[in-house]
């Protein structure tokens, strides 16, 4: 027994197949969009002086915490800091950007994750100088207390997080 289809039935079937294909394609695109955005949001562009050696330790810390790194070696670090709105008093050895924010110095990954999650109206966060014990500045068990500061483009700053450690005997 043969089943005969009319041309209108074939057109209707093709129409439903096209709609189903378009729906599946759109669903796959929408499902992949958050992962693409998450990948882009987890990539830091790190500007560092080619002669600096501690930046590698900080970048390794970030990679171990799930970030991806795009490294740019440049001798024009002062210009980078100026372009990102980093106040001179908060300067360190490297400057990174992620999600529209500047990350100055040896900021721990958990503070960067908090910044990205909360999205405050600031230009970025910074650890001024190069305190011993910050990511990339490890020296055995020795750790200095330090503050992660937020800063805006007008030069205002305040505490974003504080790290205080017990003294070792």
């Amino acid at each position: 027994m043969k089943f005969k289809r009319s041309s209108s039935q074939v057109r209707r079937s093709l129409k439903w197949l096209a709609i189903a294909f378009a729906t599946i394609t759109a669903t796959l695109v929408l499902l992949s969009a958050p992962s693409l955005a998450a990948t882009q949001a987890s990539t830091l562009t790190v500007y560092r002086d080619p002669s600096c050696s501690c930046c590698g330790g900080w970048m390794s810390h970030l990679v171990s915490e799930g970030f991806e790194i795009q490294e740019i070696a440049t001798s024009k670090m002062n210009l980078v800091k100026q372009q990102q709105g980093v106040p001179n008093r908060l300067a360190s050895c490297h400057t990174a950007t992620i999600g529209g924010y500047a990350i100055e110095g040896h900021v721990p990954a958990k503070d960067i994750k908090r910044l990205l999650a909360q999205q405050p109206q600031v230009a970025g966060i910074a650890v001024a100088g190069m305190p011993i014990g910050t990511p990339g500045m490890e020296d055995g068990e020795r750790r200095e207390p330090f503050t992660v500061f937020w800063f805006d483009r007008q030069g205002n700053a305040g505490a974003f997080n504080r790290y205080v450690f017990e003294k070792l005997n």
Side-chain angles (χ1 to χ4, degrees), residues 46-56 59 71-78 80 93-95:
V46 179
Y47 299 88
R48 67 171 197 84
D49 189 291
S51 64
C52 185
S53 61
C54 65
C55 303
M59 289 186 283
E71 183 180 348
I72 299 174
T74 178
S75 59
K76 299 181 180 184
M77 288 305 301
N78 288 335
V80 171
C93 58
H94 52 262
T95 306

Side-chain angles (χ1 to χ4, degrees), residues 65-85:
E65 292 292 325
F67 288 98
E68 294 179 22
I69 303 295
Q70 177 187 3
E71 183 180 348
I72 299 174
T74 178
S75 59
K76 299 181 180 184
M77 288 305 301
N78 288 335
L79 178 61
V80 171
K81 292 172 192 320
Q82 182 182 24
Q83 289 171 338
Q84 296 304 318

Side-chain angles (χ1 to χ4, degrees), residues 10-81:
V10 170
R11 280 194 299 272
R12 234 181 316 188
S13 295
L14 288 174
K15 179 181 172 184
W16 284 110
L17 281 173
I19 291 170
F21 179 76
T23 302
I24 291 169
T25 302
T27 302
L28 290 174
V29 167
L30 289 173
L31 289 175
S32 67
S35 63
L36 290 173
T39 299
Q40 291 172 347
S42 67
T43 300
L44 281 100
T45 301
V46 179
Y47 299 88
R48 67 171 197 84
D49 189 291
S51 64
C52 185
S53 61
C54 65
C55 303
W58 181 68
M59 289 186 283
S60 294
H61 161 73
L62 294 176
V63 168
S64 73
E65 292 292 325
F67 288 98
E68 294 179 22
I69 303 295
Q70 177 187 3
E71 183 180 348
I72 299 174
T74 178
S75 59
K76 299 181 180 184
M77 288 305 301
N78 288 335
L79 178 61
V80 171
K81 292 172 192 320

Side-chain angles (χ1 to χ4, degrees), residues 42-153:
S42 67
T43 300
L44 281 100
T45 301
V46 179
Y47 299 88
R48 67 171 197 84
D49 189 291
S51 64
C52 185
S53 61
C54 65
C55 303
W58 181 68
M59 289 186 283
S60 294
H61 161 73
L62 294 176
V63 168
S64 73
E65 292 292 325
F67 288 98
E68 294 179 22
I69 303 295
Q70 177 187 3
E71 183 180 348
I72 299 174
T74 178
S75 59
K76 299 181 180 184
M77 288 305 301
N78 288 335
L79 178 61
V80 171
K81 292 172 192 320
Q82 182 182 24
Q83 289 171 338
Q84 296 304 318
V86 177
N88 289 337
R89 68 186 182 281
L90 298 180
S92 185
C93 58
H94 52 262
T95 306
T97 59
I98 185 170
Y101 293 105
I103 310 296
E104 179 68 14
H106 295 265
V107 176
K110 75 177 195 174
D111 293 308
I112 298 170
K113 289 176 182 179
R114 180 177 150 215
L115 174 75
L116 295 173
Q118 294 178 350
Q119 296 188 356
Q121 296 297 308
V122 299
I125 56 177
V127 172
M130 297 172 19
I132 302 296
T134 57
M137 293 297 298
E138 293 88 356
D139 182 20
E141 295 297 315
R142 193 170 147 225
R143 296 184 289 187
E144 299 172 337
F146 67 95
T147 301
V148 177
F149 293 94
W150 61 264
F151 61 91
D152 64 19
R153 293 213 171 256

